Amino acid sequence: MPPVSSRDKERVRLVVCRCLGRRRVAILLLVALALLVFIWGSFTVSKETTSPTDRPTDSIHFDNSDIISHPSVACRSRANSTLDHPCHKFALPPPPPSGGRRFGPRPCPVCYISAEQARASIPCSSSASPVLRNLTYVCTVDLLKENRPGRQTGFDIDEADLMKLEEFHKVIVASAIFGNYDIIQQPKDVSEAARKNVPFYMFIDEETETYLKNSSTLDSNKRIGLWRIIVVHNIPYTDARRNGKVPKLLLHRLLPNVRYSIWIDGKLQLVVDPYQVLERFLWQQNASFAISRHYHRFDVFEEADANKAAGKAKLPITSDVPEGCVIIREHIPITNLFTCLWFNEVDRFTARDQLSFSTVRDKIMAKVDWSINMFLDCERRNFVIQAYHKDLLDHMPPPVAHVFRNPPPLQPLHHDSSAGRNPGKNSRRGRDRRSGSRQHRKPAAGNREKQAFL
């Protein structure tokens, strides 16, 4: 091989250095690119996990510290409804095993926030009310627009009570007893704020008023506990159940200046604060009307058949069946229209309002964007307790008085030393005692007792 010159050696060294430098630059570029991809991916993941679009839109944000530190807050903006709610992760527990002894409907747990927090969550503005532009109806009586329920309309109320009903209130609770059909149930666990700010109105007829006066439960201020009694004269129907549908479904006509109302039938006892009930079933759900489902029947055909068997119904219709003893609503035009149309069905056909509920609901929902929160019946049983109707209580037998008698005194034990020695002799002694006179048995018994206690 020819000898390698120094110039050739320098040329090879330069080529090797250039190749090594390029590789280092390439490696550095690859590392930088990998770091850039990693940082970009981490940023994208963290942004997706904190994005508000993944949060439920039907929950209401509740900053507990803000409420507690600012108790004067009177309402909440609806813009906060997309944030988390303390009860958002609450889930109903599994049902009890079927092998238990208890059957039938029962209450289930419900997540409530505190009464103070619930009162602070009253929305500042009313819910949006869709406009129903076309409405076809049949009117058989000429009505005057200036007529208001309570004044010479077949459901007359004293002028002093009408002025009371015209007062503005954010929240009210209402009920009714006609025909002396139920016993007034006093609410329980009502917060002090609700006692001061939430009126409880009980509509009754003259028959029920007479009973309450004779039982000395109605005071001079027309109050029984928390209930303010409103006496109705000249009732329109002979059926007490149908008369009760007037304040139940036309409550916005009797109380024109109320924002929210909770209706409970006369046989029910409210056992949860009204603010908590409204927050749980209206404000938290962004709903304007809430009613519970029937605990057993979901098809109106089944409900109609059950009522027909009891002689209660006329017309069956297909749809959901409510348990109509509790109505939670916001008084806005669409809910007012719904209950007015619902009352028309009750007035024209059957007093069993469960049958006509779905007919009116479905016709309105087919024309406007509006829905009803139909919550579980077991949730309803969580905040109201159902009592028996008065006629059932009157026919029930009185409770059996349990007589506890004192047990007889214990007789002292007598240990016979001859027991087990001679059975025949013991039996003869027994026969001798039985054949002896009473005068001889008494002192013998006394001697044995004296010996046993020594």
Side-chain angles (χ1 to χ4, degrees), residues 396-402:
M396 284 184 177
V400 179
H402 296 280

Side-chain angles (χ1 to χ4, degrees), residues 346-357:
V346 172
D347 175 64
R348 189 175 182 184
F349 298 107
T350 171
R352 295 291 168 174
D353 50 13
Q354 299 99 323
L355 301 178
S356 54
F357 165 83

Side-chain angles (χ1 to χ4, degrees), residues 1-5 8:
M1 292 179 64
V4 180
S5 63
D8 294 334

Side-chain angles (χ1 to χ4, degrees), residues 124-143:
C124 296
S125 59
S126 300
S127 301
S129 180
V131 179
L132 185 62
R133 300 187 181 278
N134 297 319
L135 178 64
T136 303
Y137 62 94
V138 177
C139 183
T140 58
V141 180
D142 294 331
L143 298 178

Side-chain angles (χ1 to χ4, degrees), residues 3 8 62 117 123 197 200 253 259 313 342 358 363 372 380 403 419 433:
D8 294 334
F62 237 93
Q117 295 171 348
N197 300 291
F200 289 74
R253 300 290 307 277
R259 290 191 61 190
W342 190 7
S358 57
K363 287 188 175 182
I372 293 175
R380 174 190 66 83
V403 179
R433 292 194 191 99

